[in-house]
Amino acid sequence: MNKNVLLLLAIVSGLLSCAPEEPTDLTQNNVIPKPVSVTATGKAFRLSEQTKIYVQAGSNLEATAQYLQGKLTPATGFQLTVEAVSEAPSEGIFLTTTNDPELGNEGYALQIDKKLLTLQANKAEGAFRGIQTIRQLLPLSIASSSVQQADWMIPTGTIRDFPEYEFRGTMLDVARHFLGAEDVKHFMDLMAYYKFNVLHLHLTDDQGWRIEIKSWPKLTEIGGSTEVGGGEGGFFTQEQYTDLVNHAAERFITIIPEIDMPGHTNAALASYAELNCDGKATELYTGTEVGFSTLCTDKEITYEFIDDVIGELASLTPGPYIHIGGDESHVTKKEDYIPFIERVQDLVYAHGKTMIGWDEVTLAKLDKRSIAQYWSSAENAKNAVQQGVKVIMSPAKKAYLDMQYDSLSPLGLHWAGYVEVDTGYDWDPVKLEKEIGRDNILGIEAPLWTETVTNRADMEYLVFPRLAGYAEIGWSPTEGKSWDEYKVRLAAHGNQYDTWGINYYRSKLVPWNK
């Protein structure tokens, strides 16, 4: 053998020895929220130019497969075709339905072998949730919008996963400061990555009315014309709102619209004089104080107004819920507040929707189908339990995304305290109040109020990285939960945020990757 051949063999051997090793342990992943169960088989599935995405014929998973294709193509540069098949292929990615009661509507099972990755789910939404896990199992550069050079490997093994709570939401206040349709879609895309299934839109408040109501056009003409600090405000047309609803549905997210009442209503009171007890329109408001406004609960026109608003909103909203607010109505007398809530509750059900209200609504007699959102008063939340009403857990001291991380945070408030990343993660909805048990809890929601949020970057800073922790509280089992373990997985997600260009808070408590 001549020297040239020996030299070539040495070079090839050196290159091979420097090649990255296959991942060997699927259990060592950075998936958020943490899956229910993971087993590893020590090899790797490779995504390549030859990989095809197969979908079971007649399974209604083709749109989900197309979504996966759209998420994998930009960074890999691979032209991953989607093909319907009647039988399982021997290689590639295969999306298929199953009949597995444990998985429920949103659960999924991943079987990852060297040649074939199979994603099974009972429903399309379960397959969609599983796709988020596939995205997180691939190298971090899969998040890039341009072609990257990487060995696109996933460790082999199995994952079985399903949510702890059926309701896993976040709220976006577009009333204090208006955030437009593209910002809301961006927010939904990030929610979907973490398997959230509810977006609560706080559409009206003292500072702005953000949804077009055709039968009451001055609500947006006048009430939508400003915001906190005196900006120009804005609103969603009904067509824009429908577009948001459709965008959400494609990601298996339910939109819950909120029309806050009888307080937090100055934008409406400034738009229509007849909604005021004295028949005089109020001045538009651009401050941040709360509790000073109220609809006139004695006037019949008030209920005609509410019926029209709920009716139009219900026709635009395919989801089952309408949120009526009900919080901080300090100038509404209790003897007026209670019958008001009960009458508005009836209007919501008359339009075929389920009523949700902030925890103050439990002062009234609630329909057992109604839902109370615990944000402030444990006593109110206990009232809900005593009435047989389900509770959404949104305790401000733990779950409010608008709370500052610490005293140096440039954005946010701190009336409920500071909520560092570990504080937002390290709590259990079941253990918060002993009278509120697991059977009483529908799920959790992390609200973002926007007194200090003026744009997308502000929104991102307060939401990330805390949103990932709320996703895990809502989805993952509590057994074995540990901040010390979670913060390592979260650190890897910082690379995703960097790639996406997200303005996130780099907490010193998290060992971010350099």
Side-chain angles (χ1 to χ4, degrees):
M1 185 175 295
N2 63 41
K3 291 182 179 179
N4 289 338
V5 174
L6 289 172
L7 179 60
L8 181 61
L9 288 173
I11 292 171
V12 171
S13 176
L15 289 172
L16 289 174
S17 67
C18 294
E21 295 182 1
E22 290 187 349
T24 58
D25 191 352
L26 183 61
T27 64
Q28 300 302 304
N29 64 71
N30 294 314
V31 174
I32 299 175
K34 189 175 185 178
V36 172
S37 69
V38 183
T39 58
T41 53
K43 299 186 184 302
F45 169 86
R46 272 189 173 82
L47 189 68
S48 73
E49 185 70 63
Q50 286 72 45
T51 302
K52 288 186 176 182
I53 301 173
Y54 298 97
V55 60
Q56 179 185 329
S59 65
N60 84 326
L61 296 180
E62 187 162 346
T64 309
Q66 297 285 355
Y67 174 90
L68 175 61
Q69 177 195 50
K71 293 300 179 184
L72 300 182
T73 296
T76 65
F78 301 154
Q79 300 303 309
L80 304 167
T81 60
V82 174
E83 183 178 327
V85 293
S86 56
E87 295 182 358
S90 59
E91 58 184 18
I93 298 173
F94 181 43
L95 276 59
T96 182
T97 52
T98 186
N99 185 16
D100 188 333
E102 185 180 42
L103 297 182
N105 289 340
E106 291 188 276
Y108 63 92
L110 275 175
Q111 177 65 49
I112 309 162
D113 300 315
K114 282 197 71 171
K115 298 291 186 183
L116 179 65
L117 185 157
T118 303
L119 170 60
Q120 291 184 315
N122 295 330
K123 303 285 186 179
E125 57 238 70
F128 186 85
R129 308 298 178 219
I131 281 171
Q132 311 316 314
T133 296
I134 293 172
R135 294 172 65 191
Q136 294 186 30
L137 290 172
L138 283 160
L140 292 172
S141 52
I142 196 65
S144 177
S145 59
S146 60
V147 175
Q148 305 293 305
Q149 297 302 314
D151 199 354
W152 304 107
M153 299 188 298
I154 297 177
T156 57
T158 60
I159 293 177
R160 286 184 60 80
D161 202 13
F162 43 87
E164 175 67 22
Y165 292 100
E166 65 179 273
F167 186 108
R168 303 177 312 283
T170 184
M171 189 211 79
L172 187 58
D173 167 18
V174 295
R176 267 50 175 271
H177 280 101
F178 182 63
L179 296 168
E182 292 308 309
D183 291 330
V184 177
K185 288 180 180 180
H186 171 68
F187 189 57
M188 282 193 270
D189 291 345
L190 297 170
M191 287 172 56
Y193 187 71
Y194 287 117
K195 301 184 176 74
F196 282 93
N197 64 355
V198 172
L199 174 60
H200 168 185
L201 284 177
H202 183 78
L203 292 168
T204 68
D205 215 296
D206 291 315
Q207 301 85 354
W209 186 284
R210 309 302 182 198
I211 180 67
E212 177 189 22
I213 302 298
K214 293 184 184 296
S215 55
W216 296 75
K218 291 182 182 178
L219 290 170
T220 47
E221 178 187 335
I222 296 173
S225 66
T226 191
E227 60 187 13
V228 167
E232 66 180 9
F235 64 92
F236 301 122
T237 66
Q238 293 195 358
E239 291 74 21
Q240 288 172 322
Y241 179 80
T242 296
D243 184 48
L244 291 177
V245 167
N246 292 339
H247 190 86
E250 291 167 1
R251 287 146 186 79
F252 299 95
I253 292 171
T254 297
I255 285 185
I256 299 176
E258 179 187 352
I259 304 297
D260 208 346
M261 59 181 109
H264 289 281
T265 47
N266 193 74
L269 298 172
S271 302
Y272 285 96
E274 57 266 42
L275 299 177
N276 296 272
C277 288
D278 62 4
K280 297 177 182 179
T282 61
E283 296 294 324
L284 289 168
Y285 182 69
T286 61
T288 59
E289 295 300 316
V290 300
F292 63 88
S293 61
T294 183
L295 293 170
C296 192
T297 60
D298 291 336
K299 282 188 170 183
E300 197 60 29
I301 187 67
T302 296
Y303 300 97
E304 293 173 12
F305 162 74
I306 294 169
D307 190 37
D308 287 341
V309 170
I310 291 176
E312 289 194 36
L313 206 50
S315 68
L316 296 168
T317 305
Y321 306 111
I322 296 286
H323 202 301
I324 68 158
D327 61 314
E328 298 177 319
S329 196
H330 302 321
V331 297
T332 314
K333 293 178 181 179
K334 187 176 180 179
E335 58 265 32
D336 296 328
Y337 177 87
I338 289 173
F340 173 88
I341 294 297
E342 292 173 356
R343 185 165 177 183
V344 172
Q345 177 179 235
D346 290 343
L347 292 175
V348 172
Y349 285 102
H351 287 286
K353 300 298 182 182
T354 297
M355 189 197 83
I356 303 177
W358 298 106
D359 61 50
E360 290 93 327
V361 300
T362 63
L363 297 172
K365 184 177 181 358
L366 297 182
D367 187 296
K368 291 190 186 306
R369 295 170 292 174
S370 294
I371 299 162
Q373 187 163 359
Y374 170 34
W375 73 280
S376 177
S377 170
E379 290 306 310
N380 286 341
K382 292 168 190 175
N383 286 342
V385 171
Q386 291 167 4
Q387 294 194 54
V389 168
K390 292 280 190 180
V391 177
I392 298 166
M393 300 297 281
S394 301
K397 63 184 178 181
K398 295 288 188 180
Y400 267 30
L401 287 161
D402 57 302
M403 291 299 103
Q404 290 173 283
Y405 294 99
D406 58 29
S407 61
L408 300 178
S409 294
L411 296 170
L413 306 171
H414 58 266
W415 56 264
Y418 299 109
V419 181
E420 244 291 2
V421 182
D422 60 339
T423 302
Y425 174 79
D426 207 8
W427 63 283
D428 183 346
V430 175
K431 295 179 180 178
L432 203 64
E433 305 291 344
K434 63 181 181 180
E435 293 90 345
I436 305 174
R438 176 64 185 86
D439 290 344
N440 308 123
I441 299 173
L442 181 65
I444 76 159
E445 181 180 293
L448 177 66
W449 302 99
T450 59
E451 286 93 337
T452 68
V453 174
T454 61
N455 54 47
R456 180 184 294 192
D458 291 349
M459 173 184 75
E460 291 172 343
Y461 179 83
L462 288 173
V463 168
F464 290 98
R466 287 184 289 200
L467 192 70
Y470 298 125
E472 186 144 306
I473 293 170
W475 181 282
S476 303
T478 56
E479 294 77 17
K481 182 181 175 184
S482 159
W483 163 253
D484 287 335
E485 185 273 338
Y486 168 75
K487 70 182 180 183
V488 175
R489 283 183 287 124
L490 179 61
H493 285 239
N495 295 81
Q496 302 279 37
Y497 304 155
D498 289 333
T499 299
W500 287 331
I502 287 177
N503 178 36
Y504 66 103
Y505 168 65
R506 291 182 66 88
S507 170
K508 294 179 180 178
L509 303 180
V510 179
W512 303 107
N513 299 335
K514 300 296 184 183

